[in-house]
């Protein structure tokens, strides 16, 4: 009886044991083993161009850590531009997840039927898992059981690549728009469904506006650091020339250029070439990034045709030439149509492109080639193109393995039919694709600029680009202006100033799309604009400077200032003509502070008379009066902001220009810096304080920091200018009133104090990577702390700023000083110092260089450094500095309001909302909520903060953007820093504590709740 009763349970238990011990465990181990050994083979979108991946470990670690916590998990969108290396990241993430015991399931989005009524990532991944586990299971039911058990155990991770391939590509524009809207809705619903299921999901895609409004965390794919790029090619013996090639070609922007450089090194020419001759072919035009990229791709194409690359494919040189030309013709059709896949028969529908293809391969078909012969030739070449790794065939369609290769190969077919097809592609309502614009830039370097016919064609392309960009108000206009500037550089820069003036006039009207996408496109354009300005004979620095005064984004303005600051004598000549030095017969008239006061006073007078004229107008209806008064007030506010931004730009640029100009202009640059610094002296004109507003004081300090970031290896570095700037920075540190100015100047002095060489010396036998120090780091930092604010007027200090032991140091200044000691001791300032808190916080960053290898960076802290590179203490300081600056400085503030907030925050202690009562910040507040949200309103509402002298709360509401919004991954990192030590450190006394900053006067649980609210805040679509 007992056996009969227990038999069903025993059978069920035995079946469960057999399932887990045999099927489940064996399938899981097999997939994890395959993902560890060959992750590229598991990712279906990883073509032969994807090889080793470097520099993405931090990004993969952040994503893997975020997917681990089921309570806060949601889908992640990995967004990157053309050729940014999205698939490479998924390959590395596949390996990393397998090493941590998870089961990665990569899927290809283009294999999904987007016409279906419902899209479910979990069901798609289950089908893909069945294909991966087909050999280790008996039937589909077994694979489904294993999949469901993996989901129950929270071990399966879905990696979806190629989301942009699901975007509609119909030729009819109306049908395309309608289909795209439907697909966007399905994708959003699928992402929401995955979030509800708590499915670990990572989706890689190009930037697409509707994706910003999904319930997914967006992670931007940043360019590789130059250290990671050099590490990828570290086996090369000619490292110095290799560094120049990597830098000149911008190889860190796209892993493809690194892979090509590595292939060319592994398959050298058969004829003997010296090392100098070999790299001269690739680096013929230093400073022209597009030219260097073109030469690198030309060398790769020649190596492919001659058989140095893909030599195992049995094709003669003539056959390889025909194959490459066919793929190039198909690529040109894809570029003009903005399509990722092209039908082979499409070539026969384009007679001009077909005629050029047949002419180039010299097929001998005559004026009227045989149709059957054409069809056979095309089919054969397509098959052979797949063998060479250029394309992937799918029936009658071909798909290119890499977007940049498609742009390069198709660039030679963009000028057919007298560029009529190009004009049509640029004028489409949806706009040209990024591949087409890249192809235009590469095509402009296909011949030497001496040919009149070629230069005339380039100018025609510029006209078409400007015409198409003039009718747009989205990011496509910015991309077209960037390409126009680049092409004009190759054509002799005759239209350079015209392009710059058109861009200046249109800049403020480019607002269509989400804020993040627009700012990323603007930043790309700013860097390209700065590169062109440094190369042409008559640069349009005046227009570039004016763009900064009308730009709302702080980060874009700072990027423009840094590009101008690297302009050297040409930039200084332009600024000198815009802002001349004082005249001897009119002293002080052109002094920067006098100019600022005069422009502000003139603007106030103009606004006053505008109001007076409105009041004096009789018979004006009340509605019309209020409308005109509102318009006049908005125009006045806009004009005041432009005046303030202009002088902030000048304050940024003054120290940078001292370090970048030659000896010809150095004395004039020094004189201009003295004019600014003397207005920090309290005895100058205003009693009990300095003339210069705090907002301009902090901008001047940031200029010193940017100048200090240039290493002695920088081409613009000069010992005389360096010593002068160090002395002036110490003078400013002594007179600086505000905590941010003092902190920034200490960081700048830390960079200047670093030795000239870091890393292991060439003849070092000990292997030590410690730098040769100039002075004792602790003594140097103590001297800077003693200088900080020591010469400001004592009567301007607050009651709590001075104690019996002396002046009190702001907690953030003390924290930055202690980190500066570590930076000097280690010789790696990128782990303890940052240049711009917004730029650092918005980037995860990539791996730092090997401490044992000498770095050849021009900058101590390159732009690729993100928050993951920083030490945990530096990450906490960065977070709180960012919060306090967002409380005091808001993009919508008028200069008077900004200076008032800065004056209230000019103390040596921290506001209670950062120390004890973070609930007063109200991070979850939105603009739709009722009630007053002016600075100080939340302080008066909270009983614990009612007497707060800062009056800064609440935090800027969602929908009204502050200077920048904190990213969710950064918030999760702040939560991770608050966790206790692991159980392995149980006997360590520190294991009973939590990692909080010294100024935190609240519990770790309260801080954790605050950063959870900030993480939820970052999910708003306005981000």
């Amino acid at each position: 009886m007992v056996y009969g009763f227990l038999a069903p349970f025993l059978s069920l238990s035995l079946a469960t044991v057999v399932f887990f011990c045999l099927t489940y465990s064996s399938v899981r181990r097999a997939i994890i083993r395959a993902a560890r050994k060959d992750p590229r083979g598991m990712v279906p979108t990883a073509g032969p161009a994807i090889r080793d991946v470097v520099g993405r470990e931090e990004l993969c670690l952040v994503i893997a850590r975020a997917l681990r916590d089921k309570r806060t998990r949601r889908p992640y969108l990995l967004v990157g531009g053309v050729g940014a290396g999205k698939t490479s990241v998924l390959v590395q993430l596949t390996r990393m997840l397998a090493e941590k015991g998870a089961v990665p399931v990569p899927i290809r989005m283009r294999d999904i039927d987007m016409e279906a009524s419902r899209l479910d990532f979990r069901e798609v991944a289950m089908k893909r898992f069945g294909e991966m586990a087909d050999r280790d299971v008996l039937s589909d039911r077994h694979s489904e059981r294993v999949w469901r058990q993996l989901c129950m155990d929270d071990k399966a991770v879905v990696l979806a690549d190629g989301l942009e391939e699901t975007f509609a590509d119909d030729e009819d524009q109306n049908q395309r728009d309608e289909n795209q809207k439907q697909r966007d809705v399905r994708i959003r619903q699928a992402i929401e469904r995955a979030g509800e299921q708590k499915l670990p999901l990572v989706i890689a895609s190009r930037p697409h506006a509707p994706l910003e409004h999904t319930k997914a965390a967006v992670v931007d794919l940043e360019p590789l650091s130059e250290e990671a790029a050099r590490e990828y090619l570290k086996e090369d013996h000619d490292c110095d020339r290799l560094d120049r090639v990597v830098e000149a070609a911008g190889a860190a922007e796209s892993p493809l250029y690194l892979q090509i450089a590595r292939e060319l090194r592994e398959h050298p020419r058969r004829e003997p070439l010296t090392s100098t001759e070999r790299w001269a072919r690739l680096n013929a035009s230093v400073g022209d990034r597009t030219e260097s990229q073109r030469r690198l791709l030309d060398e790769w194409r020649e190596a492919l045709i001659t058989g140095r690359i893909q030599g195992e494919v049995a094709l003669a040189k003539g056959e390889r030439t025909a194959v490459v030309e066919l793929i190039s013709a198909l690529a040109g059709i894809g570029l003009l149509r903005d399509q990722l896949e092209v039908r082979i028969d499409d070539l026969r529908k384009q007679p001009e492109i077909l005629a050029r293809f047949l002419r180039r391969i010299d097929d001998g078909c005559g004026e009227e080639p045989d149709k059957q012969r054409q069809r056979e030739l095309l089919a054969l070449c397509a098959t052979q193109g797949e063998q060479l790794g250029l394309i992937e065939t799918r029936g009658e369609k071909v798909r290119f393995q890499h977007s940049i290769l498609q742009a390069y190969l198709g660039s030679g077919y963009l000028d057919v039919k007298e560029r009529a097809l190009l004009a049509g592609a640029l004028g489409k309502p949806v706009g040209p694709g990024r591949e087409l614009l890249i192809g235009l830039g590469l095509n402009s370097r296909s011949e030497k600029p001496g040919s009149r016919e070629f230069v005339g064609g380039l100018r025609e392309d510029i006209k078409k680009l400007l015409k198409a960009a003039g009718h747009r108000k989205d990011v496509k206009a910015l991309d077209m202006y960037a390409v126009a500037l680049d092409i004009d550089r190759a054509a002799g820069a005759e239209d350079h100033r015209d392009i710059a003036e058109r861009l200046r006039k249109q800049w403020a009207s480019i607002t269509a799309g989400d804020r993040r996408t627009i700012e990323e496109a603007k930043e790309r354009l700013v860097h390209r604009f700065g590169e062109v300005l440094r190369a042409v004979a008559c640069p349009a620095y005046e227009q570039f400077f004016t763009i900064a005064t009308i730009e709302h984004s702080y980060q874009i303005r700072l990027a423009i200032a840094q590009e101008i600051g690297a302009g050297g004598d040409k930039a200084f000549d332009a600024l000198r003509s815009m802002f001349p030095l004082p005249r001897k017969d009119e002293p002080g008239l052109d002094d920067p502070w006098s100019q600022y006061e005069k422009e502000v006073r003139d603007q106030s007078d103009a606004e006053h008379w505008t109001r007076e004229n409105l009041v004096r107008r009789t018979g004006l209806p009340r509605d019309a009066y209020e409308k005109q008064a509102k318009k006049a007030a908005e125009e006045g506010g806009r004009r005041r902001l432009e005046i303030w931004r202009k002088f902030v730009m000048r304050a940024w640029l003054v120290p940078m220009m001292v370090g970048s100009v030659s000896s010809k202009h150095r004395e004039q640059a020094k004189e201009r810096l003295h004019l600014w610094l003397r207005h920090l002296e309290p005895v100058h004109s205003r009693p009990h304080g300095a003339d210069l507003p705090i907002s301009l004081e902090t901008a001047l300090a940031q200029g010193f920091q940017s100048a200090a970031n240039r290493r002695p290896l920088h081409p613009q570095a000069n010992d005389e200018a360096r010593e002068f700037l160090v002395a002036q920075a110490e003078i400013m540190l002594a007179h600086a009133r505000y905590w941010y100015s003092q902190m920034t100047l200490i960081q700048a002095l830390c960079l200047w104090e670093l030795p000239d060489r870091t890393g292991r010396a060439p003849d070092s036998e000990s292997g030590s990577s410690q730098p040769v120090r100039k002075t004792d780091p602790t003594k140097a930092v103590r001297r800077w702390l003693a200088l900080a604010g020591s010469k400001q007027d004592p009567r301007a200090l607050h009651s709590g700023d001075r104690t019996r032991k002396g002046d009190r140091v702001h907690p953030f200044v003390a924290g930055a000083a202690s980190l500066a000691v570590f930076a000097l001791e280690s010789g790696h300032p990128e782990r303890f110092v940052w240049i711009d808190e917004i730029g650092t916080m918005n980037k995860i960053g990539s791996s730092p260089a090997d401490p044992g290898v000498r770095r050849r960076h021009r900058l101590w802290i390159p732009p690729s450094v993100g928050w993951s590179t920083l030490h945990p203490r530096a990450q906490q300081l960065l977070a709180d500095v960012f919060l306090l600056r967002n409380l005091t400085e808001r993009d919508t503030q008028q200069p008077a309001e900004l200076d008032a907030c800065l004056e209230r925050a000019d103390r040596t202690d921290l506001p209670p909302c950062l120390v004890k009562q973070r609930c007063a910040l109200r991070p979850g507040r939105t603009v739709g909520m009722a009630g007053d949200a002016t600075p100080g309103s939340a302080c008066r509402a909270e009983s614990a903060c009612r007497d707060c002298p800062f009056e800064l709360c609440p935090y800027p509401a969602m929908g009204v953007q502050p200077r920048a919004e904190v990213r969710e991954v950064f918030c999760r990192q702040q939560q991770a820093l608050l966790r206790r030590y692991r159980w392995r450190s149980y006997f360590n006394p520190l294991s009973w504590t939590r990692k909080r900053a010294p100024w935190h006067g609240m519990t770790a649980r309260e801080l954790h709740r605050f950063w959870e609210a900030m993480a939820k805040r970052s999910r708003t679509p306005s981000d």
Side-chain angles (χ1 to χ4, degrees):
M1 294 291 294
V2 175
Y3 177 77
F5 174 76
L6 294 178
F9 298 100
L10 292 175
S11 301
L12 180 61
S13 302
L14 180 60
T16 303
V17 170
V18 171
F19 170 73
F20 276 101
C21 293
L22 297 181
T23 307
Y24 177 75
S25 300
S26 63
V27 171
R28 180 184 171 189
R29 284 197 303 268
I31 294 179
I32 291 177
R33 191 184 307 114
R36 288 176 177 175
K37 291 183 178 180
D38 185 21
R40 185 174 66 87
M42 288 195 64
V43 179
T45 54
I50 304 297
R51 298 181 61 182
D52 297 338
V53 184
V54 294
R56 300 299 190 188
E57 184 177 357
E58 284 76 13
L59 175 61
C60 293
L61 281 173
V62 168
I63 296 177
R65 189 185 300 120
L67 295 175
R68 186 185 309 166
D69 192 348
K70 195 171 184 178
R71 295 171 300 176
T72 60
R73 178 191 300 157
R74 63 174 176 149
Y76 273 76
L77 273 172
L78 183 64
V79 180
V82 176
K86 300 180 289 296
T87 304
S88 301
V89 173
L90 293 185
V91 170
Q92 186 169 2
L93 188 58
T94 299
R95 178 189 287 117
M96 182 177 294
L97 291 171
E99 291 174 350
K100 294 181 178 296
V103 179
V105 184
I107 63 176
R108 183 165 46 188
M109 292 296 296
R110 71 170 180 270
D111 294 338
I112 301 175
D113 182 15
M114 294 303 299
E115 302 301 328
S117 58
R118 186 174 183 269
L119 172 61
D120 192 323
F121 283 103
R122 188 168 183 170
E123 294 179 358
V124 175
M126 183 176 65
K127 295 179 181 178
R128 169 63 178 158
F129 178 80
E131 299 173 1
M132 296 165 56
D134 185 51
R135 296 181 179 179
D136 301 300
V137 296
L138 299 176
S139 63
D140 293 340
R141 292 188 59 187
H142 280 78
S143 66
E144 291 181 11
R145 289 183 61 188
V146 174
W147 168 255
R148 296 185 188 281
Q149 188 62 43
L150 285 172
C151 293
M152 291 175 61
D153 295 344
D154 206 25
K155 294 296 184 181
V157 181
V158 182
L159 307 176
D161 193 13
L163 183 62
E164 69 275 0
E165 298 180 19
T166 65
F167 302 157
D169 56 358
D170 304 84
E171 293 187 6
D172 181 51
Q173 184 62 37
N174 296 329
Q175 185 66 29
R176 178 174 183 166
D177 294 341
E178 184 62 28
N179 291 343
Q180 188 58 57
K181 289 179 182 179
Q182 296 177 4
R183 295 184 183 186
D184 289 341
V185 171
R186 294 193 189 100
I187 292 171
R188 281 198 297 268
Q189 292 175 348
I191 293 176
E192 293 176 4
R193 190 177 299 112
E196 295 171 358
Q197 297 170 347
K198 295 295 181 179
L199 178 69
L201 174 64
V202 180
I203 306 173
S205 173
R206 294 183 191 176
H208 187 51
L211 297 178
E212 298 290 335
H213 302 278
T214 60
K215 294 183 178 180
V218 178
V219 179
D220 296 319
L221 186 58
E222 308 137 11
L224 284 172
S225 66
E226 292 184 5
E227 294 134 317
R230 192 170 184 269
E231 180 184 353
Y232 186 79
L233 302 169
K234 62 183 177 182
E235 297 178 1
D236 195 281
H237 299 288
D238 199 359
C239 294
D240 290 341
R241 290 192 178 90
L242 185 62
D243 284 337
R244 290 195 290 270
V245 171
V246 169
E247 183 179 0
E253 294 182 359
S254 176
L256 176 69
Y257 296 113
L258 295 175
Q259 293 158 7
I260 289 176
R262 187 170 180 175
E263 285 184 337
L264 293 176
R265 185 200 64 203
E266 293 174 351
H267 302 88
R269 289 174 170 269
R270 294 185 176 89
E271 62 271 17
L273 286 178
T274 65
S275 179
T276 303
E277 292 173 342
R278 177 161 56 95
W279 290 115
R281 296 175 62 90
L282 305 180
N283 195 22
S285 181
V286 178
D288 191 342
R289 178 171 303 186
T290 308
E291 172 75 14
S292 300
Q293 292 172 353
R294 174 77 195 202
R295 286 184 173 270
L296 194 65
L297 291 167
D298 285 342
E299 183 74 9
W300 167 83
R301 177 171 179 160
E302 182 182 354
L304 182 64
I305 291 176
T306 56
R308 289 161 48 201
I309 298 177
Q310 297 289 345
E312 66 277 4
V313 181
L315 291 176
K317 181 177 180 180
E319 294 174 326
R320 288 172 177 260
T321 302
V323 170
V324 173
E325 279 301 330
L326 171 66
I327 304 306
S328 300
L330 295 175
I333 296 175
L335 294 180
L336 294 171
R337 294 183 178 180
D338 192 17
Q339 293 180 349
L340 298 171
E341 294 181 342
V342 182
R343 291 183 178 273
I344 300 177
D345 288 341
D346 289 342
L347 182 57
R348 298 175 61 242
K349 298 177 182 179
Q350 298 289 343
E352 296 83 4
I353 296 180
L354 178 61
R356 176 175 292 188
F357 161 67
L358 295 174
R359 191 165 54 250
R360 286 184 174 179
I361 66 173
D362 192 21
D363 184 64
C365 295
E367 294 294 332
E368 296 181 0
D370 179 69
K371 304 295 183 184
Q372 182 63 26
R373 169 60 179 157
Q374 289 183 24
R375 191 177 295 110
E376 294 175 357
L377 178 64
L378 297 181
L380 178 61
C381 289
T383 304
Q384 294 170 344
E386 187 172 20
Q387 296 175 0
L388 292 176
L390 297 177
I391 58 173
E392 178 184 354
T393 58
R394 302 183 65 199
E396 293 294 326
K397 292 183 178 181
V398 299
R399 178 185 179 272
F400 298 92
Q401 293 285 4
H402 204 285
S403 300
I404 293 181
L405 286 182
Q406 180 189 7
Y408 165 68
L409 294 173
S411 62
Y413 287 85
L414 297 180
D415 58 346
V416 296
K417 204 177 179 180
E418 297 182 354
R419 289 178 163 79
L421 297 178
L422 176 61
L426 294 175
K428 289 181 180 179
V430 71
R434 286 288 306 278
E435 293 91 345
L436 175 59
L437 299 178
I438 293 173
L440 286 173
L442 293 173
N443 181 60
S444 65
R445 270 64 171 188
S446 59
E447 295 183 20
K448 294 184 178 180
S451 172
R452 290 186 178 181
E453 182 180 357
F454 180 68
V455 173
L458 295 183
R459 289 176 181 164
E460 287 295 324
D461 291 345
I462 294 172
K463 291 180 181 178
K464 291 180 174 63
L465 285 167
L466 295 179
K467 181 180 179 180
H471 298 294
R472 307 190 66 88
K473 295 183 179 181
D474 57 1
V475 295
K476 294 291 182 68
L478 297 170
D479 292 337
M480 284 189 277
Y481 273 114
V483 175
L485 286 167
D486 191 35
I487 296 176
D488 178 68
R489 174 184 179 179
E494 293 188 7
D495 300 322
H496 173 73
R497 288 191 167 271
D498 178 55
I499 298 172
E501 183 62 23
R502 286 171 179 258
L503 178 60
R504 183 195 65 80
K505 293 179 179 179
Q506 195 176 347
W507 186 271
S509 63
I510 301 177
T511 56
D514 62 280
R515 175 176 174 173
R516 177 186 293 180
T517 306
I518 293 176
E519 288 189 358
E520 289 175 354
K522 285 183 176 180
E523 193 167 358
R524 289 195 304 267
L525 173 56
V526 165
H527 294 317
R528 179 54 60 92
F529 203 164
E531 180 183 324
V532 172
L533 287 170
R534 291 188 290 272
V536 300
C538 299
Y541 277 107
E542 297 85 353
Q543 288 82 356
F544 199 36
F545 185 94
T546 306
I547 287 174
T549 63
I550 60 179
E551 171 57 42
H552 295 277
S553 172
Y554 157 84
Q555 202 166 1
I556 303 300
R557 296 197 304 269
L558 182 60
I560 294 175
Q562 290 173 342
E563 292 293 339
I564 297 177
D569 290 350
K570 293 181 181 179
F572 186 79
D573 284 334
L575 295 174
R576 186 179 58 174
S577 62
M578 295 173 65
F579 313 111
L581 284 173
R583 299 177 181 177
K584 294 183 179 180
D585 55 341
E586 297 177 346
L589 182 62
D590 292 323
D591 184 86
W593 172 246
S594 302
Q595 289 180 347
Y596 182 70
E597 282 190 319
K598 182 178 184 302
E599 291 195 30
V600 171
R601 185 170 55 252
D602 292 345
Q603 179 60 31
S604 298
D605 293 342
E607 292 178 26
H608 169 74
W609 285 111
T610 300
R611 291 191 297 268
E612 286 293 325
N613 292 333
L614 281 175
V615 171
R616 293 175 181 177
R617 293 180 62 180
T618 59
L620 188 66
R622 182 178 181 84
D623 293 342
Y625 169 78
E626 292 179 353
K627 184 177 180 179
Q628 293 186 22
K630 182 180 179 181
K631 183 178 179 180
E634 292 176 352
E635 179 64 23
R638 182 190 64 80
R639 179 57 188 155
R640 288 195 301 272
L641 276 174
E642 289 183 3
I643 294 172
W644 176 78
R645 290 170 187 157
K646 178 172 69 175
F647 283 88
V648 168
M649 283 287 296
R650 293 178 63 179
W652 277 337
L653 287 170
V654 168
M656 286 191 276
M657 296 310 302
V658 174
S660 67
V661 297
S662 64
S663 57
K664 175 182 177 182
H665 297 296
R666 189 166 296 130
E667 291 303 321
Q668 291 181 326
K670 291 179 181 179
E671 187 177 354
R672 292 170 182 274
L673 182 57
H674 282 304
L675 290 175
W676 281 85
L677 289 178
R678 71 176 184 175
H679 290 286
L680 285 174
E681 300 173 3
V683 296
H684 186 252
S685 63
R686 196 176 75 171
H688 301 176
D691 291 336
L692 214 60
I694 293 180
S695 59
L696 296 183
E697 176 190 297
T698 58
L700 193 61
Q702 286 177 301
F704 275 103
Q705 188 184 38
S706 296
N709 194 32
R710 297 168 181 159
R711 294 187 62 200
L713 295 173
H714 196 282
Q716 294 175 337
N718 179 271
D719 291 339
E720 178 191 352
R722 183 189 183 92
E723 294 175 1
F724 173 79
L725 286 172
V726 170
Q728 300 307 309
E730 292 182 348
I731 292 174
M732 182 178 178
L733 179 61
H735 289 96
R737 300 158 290 170
Y738 196 55
W739 64 268
Y740 185 78
S741 304
Q742 297 173 4
M743 183 190 74
T744 304
L745 289 169
I746 288 177
Q747 291 178 333
L749 290 169
C750 171
L751 296 177
W752 273 315
E753 187 68 20
L754 285 167
D756 293 350
R757 294 170 63 93
T758 61
R760 194 179 300 122
D763 56 348
S764 175
E765 298 179 358
S766 62
S768 174
S769 62
Q770 295 295 327
V772 180
R773 301 168 186 165
K774 295 182 178 179
T775 59
D776 181 67
T778 304
K779 291 182 179 179
V781 174
R782 284 179 179 174
R783 187 172 68 85
W784 299 335
L785 280 177
L787 276 176
S790 59
K791 292 187 178 180
Q792 59 176 319
D793 196 324
R795 293 170 293 182
L797 299 175
H798 297 282
S799 56
D801 291 346
R802 171 158 289 185
T803 63
R804 293 181 179 179
K805 297 181 179 180
D807 294 342
R808 181 181 295 172
V809 179
H810 195 279
F812 290 172
V813 178
S818 63
L819 292 173
V821 174
F822 295 142
L824 293 173
E825 290 176 344
S826 65
H828 284 273
E830 70 277 1
R831 296 199 63 229
F832 306 98
V833 179
W834 60 87
I835 297 301
D836 171 38
E837 68 274 1
I838 295 179
T840 305
M841 188 210 62
N842 284 341
K843 289 193 291 286
I844 295 175
S846 57
S847 306
D850 181 2
V853 179
R854 182 189 175 197
R855 296 172 296 163
R856 297 197 72 258
H857 273 308
R858 294 183 175 185
L859 302 177
W860 286 113
I861 305 175
S864 58
V865 171
W867 56 262
S868 67
T869 311
L870 292 174
H871 188 274
R873 287 178 57 182
Q875 292 179 14
Q876 288 183 325
L877 177 61
L878 171 69
D880 287 348
V881 167
F882 174 82
L883 291 176
L884 186 52
R885 290 207 72 193
N886 264 3
L887 286 171
T888 54
E889 303 175 36
R890 315 186 187 197
D891 280 347
T892 57
Q893 278 181 321
Q894 288 296 319
E897 299 172 355
L898 171 62
D899 288 329
C901 286
L902 292 174
E903 289 287 347
R904 295 197 299 271
D906 183 18
R907 308 173 65 91
T908 56
D909 54 350
L910 289 171
C913 58
L914 286 182
V915 178
K916 296 181 179 180
Q917 301 291 332
R918 293 210 174 183
C919 57
L921 294 176
R922 301 178 185 177
R925 183 183 179 85
T926 63
V927 291
M929 292 183 176
D932 190 14
T934 57
S937 58
C939 299
R940 293 185 289 270
E942 295 287 340
S943 59
C945 305
R946 194 161 294 168
D947 297 329
C948 175
F950 292 87
E951 295 186 358
L952 300 175
C953 295
Y955 198 77
M958 290 184 288
V960 177
Q961 287 295 328
R963 294 164 60 249
E965 191 64 82
V966 64
R967 302 292 177 90
E968 181 177 356
V969 290
F970 185 74
C971 298
R972 299 302 179 196
Q973 174 65 12
Q974 292 299 311
Q975 290 178 318
L977 294 176
L978 298 170
R979 295 172 184 165
R980 289 190 179 95
Y981 286 85
R982 294 184 176 181
W983 63 271
R984 296 173 184 173
S985 305
Y986 183 81
F987 295 101
N988 187 344
L990 294 177
S991 63
W992 296 93
T993 63
R994 288 178 182 263
K995 303 175 183 178
R996 291 178 296 164
W999 54 85
H1000 288 157
M1002 66 195 82
T1003 64
R1005 182 172 298 179
E1006 291 173 333
L1007 281 171
H1008 194 280
R1009 283 200 299 264
F1010 167 76
W1011 286 113
E1012 180 66 29
M1014 292 296 292
K1016 292 180 179 178
R1017 169 193 174 93
S1018 67
R1019 301 181 183 185
T1020 176
S1022 61
D1023 184 26

